[in-house]
Amino acid sequence: MGLHSGEFGKPELVEKPTREAERIFQGFAAAKPRKEDAYAAALSFLRGKELDSWQRDLVASAIGEPIREQDGAMVLGARRFPALLGLYESEAKRGDLWRLTWHGLLYSYFNFDPNLANDDATRSGWEALRSFLERTWPLIDKQAGKNQVPDWVNVLRKESEVLSENPVDKYSHSYLRGETGPTDRLAEDLGIPPSSWFWHALVLGVVRRATAESDAEFRRLIPQLVKLIQGKPGFRDEALEVLLIRYHACKGAPHDERLRDYVCQPTVWKNPKLKAAGIATAWNRVPDPVWQMVLSWVNERNLKDFFDILAARNNADEGRLAFWSKYLKQIAWTRLVFGVDTMALKRSNPGIRELIAREEGAYAQLTSKPEVDAFMMQIGSYLIIEFSKKPNACYVYQADQLPFEPYDRHYEGGTADLAAGYRQDVGCALRIVHREGWGDRAEVELRQLGIRPDRPEAQRVATAGAATTSTAGNRTASSGTASGRATAKFAGPDMAALRALVTRFRGASIDDRRSNASGGRLWVEDPLQRTTLGTELKALGFKWANNRQAWYFPEN
């Protein structure tokens, strides 16, 4: 210990070599085999070779390592992996499992990167590893004894929850409050790398804990939650699914720009308008009402962007933004169509460049009229085309009788397609010319098509002797109960109008069960789940039922 040349009676001469001995001991106690040797053992295992006892010790540190020669496969996902774990467990029960081998498995556990797992078998293998470590830790702990033990053993004696089915629950609450010290210390003591599943699971745990807060507190935490998900995206989709469903449950679910801009990025869930095209499939993770919530946010932004950025460039708003904003809640779909001038401006105008980038994969282009842009929006069963520059009129077409394809990538922009309603031989439900007083005239004409400005959510007020209603559809009130108090009775929407609506959509049907003694509901079923029908049903007061995948009219 280096004492031969020193003097007795000086404790520092003992303390320094003791510390050095401790350092050497801790180094050996957490030592890992050479990476090349462990990798070679993992490759042999995946090639189907039987491993000797030395190779089994080596491979423990590499079971979560992607093997290049096997197309990135891991030992964790191999069919023989459960048998390998069984051998380790048998040795642990006999007291023969080398502690460094168990530490190698612990290292593999924390070094697993969920972004590199290409199949369910690999993720299942990692869960089997976790369960193995949880079961065998008491055996390793007992074997270590109470004398000098490695630091990682001391840490696990205090923090064994990291091996449980809920490994991050203990830390998520403090992490949500911004207290990262406990997790940082744990990561340092156990050698948890930044790419580990631990950090991604921690973020998911934080999101789930935040969903238990009140609406106001949950919404206040949104920027922090989005930042956490951005920084640790391993369980991004699961975290966003939880976050969006909870946000939809907030009272009123007001438009959140930060959440919208993140989730709609091309590298995240993409524009929700692309769901119908089979491009943005991540939106299938959430119920339709949640998707429609974010879609409405995107539609609102598109409407404002078109008139604030594109039409304003030509001084052609003429109150159109204010006018169409009155119908905002009914807009089920939008699409921007950019002219040549706008596409050229993306090189010099940051606002235009950001707008085009946001609409990547969803926008179209005009091949003529370089200075003109167009805006498509669907309200009910009608598709409306507005242009950014006079003297172009606004055209309203029936969505199922369009003179052009709504998902084409290019349009001429004139009477050959978007403005075809100008021609007498083309059916056009309405043509709006933006002359003085156009807004009042257009509102009347749109009402004739069944398109009315947005109105507040249905409200019902019952008072003694009478009941009043203000909601879509026709309802009747009756008074007189055994107690003498008024009771409102609602007959539901106008059935003639409802039948006329449903017959326009092939395959849709009405299932009226209100006459049942058990108190059934009025249902509308649409196997194709068409957005247009859903929009009109919502305007009539219908709601969506996830369990039945159909629309129902809520009873009193």
Side-chain angles (χ1 to χ4, degrees), residues 74 76 108-114 117 122-123 126 195-197:
M74 300 180 188
L76 284 171
S108 293
Y109 170 66
F110 280 118
N111 274 262
F112 177 68
D113 185 346
T122 301
R123 291 177 180 268
W126 175 84
S195 60
S196 171
W197 61 268

Side-chain angles (χ1 to χ4, degrees), residues 294-437:
V294 182
L295 180 62
S296 71
W297 296 350
V298 172
N299 291 336
E300 179 181 353
R301 180 179 61 185
N302 283 170
L303 180 68
K304 292 179 178 178
D305 284 346
F306 180 77
F307 291 111
D308 283 348
I309 299 176
L310 302 178
R313 210 169 69 236
N314 297 307
N315 297 316
D317 185 326
E318 301 154 325
R320 289 187 287 171
L321 174 58
F323 178 82
W324 291 115
S325 292
K326 294 188 296 185
Y327 302 86
L328 191 57
K329 293 181 181 178
Q330 301 172 65
I331 298 176
W333 176 82
T334 58
R335 195 180 190 201
L336 290 167
V337 187
F338 300 121
V340 175
D341 288 358
T342 296
M343 294 300 294
L345 276 172
K346 70 178 180 180
R347 292 192 293 268
S348 58
N349 187 315
I352 297 291
R353 183 164 58 249
E354 181 184 353
L355 172 59
I356 293 174
R358 283 202 310 260
E359 290 297 298
E360 184 64 40
Y363 69 82
Q365 296 183 52
L366 291 181
T367 56
S368 66
K369 299 183 179 180
E371 74 286 359
V372 177
D373 304 292
F375 181 66
M376 300 181 183
M377 55 183 158
Q378 183 162 349
I379 298 179
S381 57
Y382 294 94
L383 190 68
I384 301 166
I385 310 291
E386 275 278 18
F387 292 92
S388 64
K389 188 176 180 182
K390 293 188 294 187
N392 296 282
C394 169
Y395 295 93
V396 182
Y397 302 97
Q398 280 198 312
D400 57 354
Q401 299 177 23
L402 296 175
F404 54 85
E405 288 295 327
Y407 289 99
D408 276 352
R409 297 293 298 170
H410 296 87
Y411 298 100
E412 187 269 342
T415 57
D417 41 53
L418 300 186
Y422 182 82
R423 295 168 16 213
Q424 295 296 322
D425 61 317
V426 174
C428 178
L430 179 62
R431 180 170 175 263
I432 301 173
V433 180
H434 305 102
R435 298 193 184 100
E436 186 176 353

Side-chain angles (χ1 to χ4, degrees), residues 113-115 123 195-197 199-201 203 228-238:
D113 185 346
N115 291 314
R123 291 177 180 268
S195 60
S196 171
W197 61 268
W199 300 109
H200 305 293
V203 170
L228 286 173
I229 295 172
Q230 282 179 302
K232 302 287 190 298
F235 294 118
R236 181 195 68 196
D237 290 346
E238 293 92 331

Side-chain angles (χ1 to χ4, degrees), residues 492-512:
D494 184 315
M495 291 303 294
L498 180 63
R499 281 191 289 270
L501 168 64
V502 172
T503 54
R504 289 181 11 223
F505 297 88
R506 180 175 298 178
S509 61
I510 298 173
D511 182 11
D512 192 350

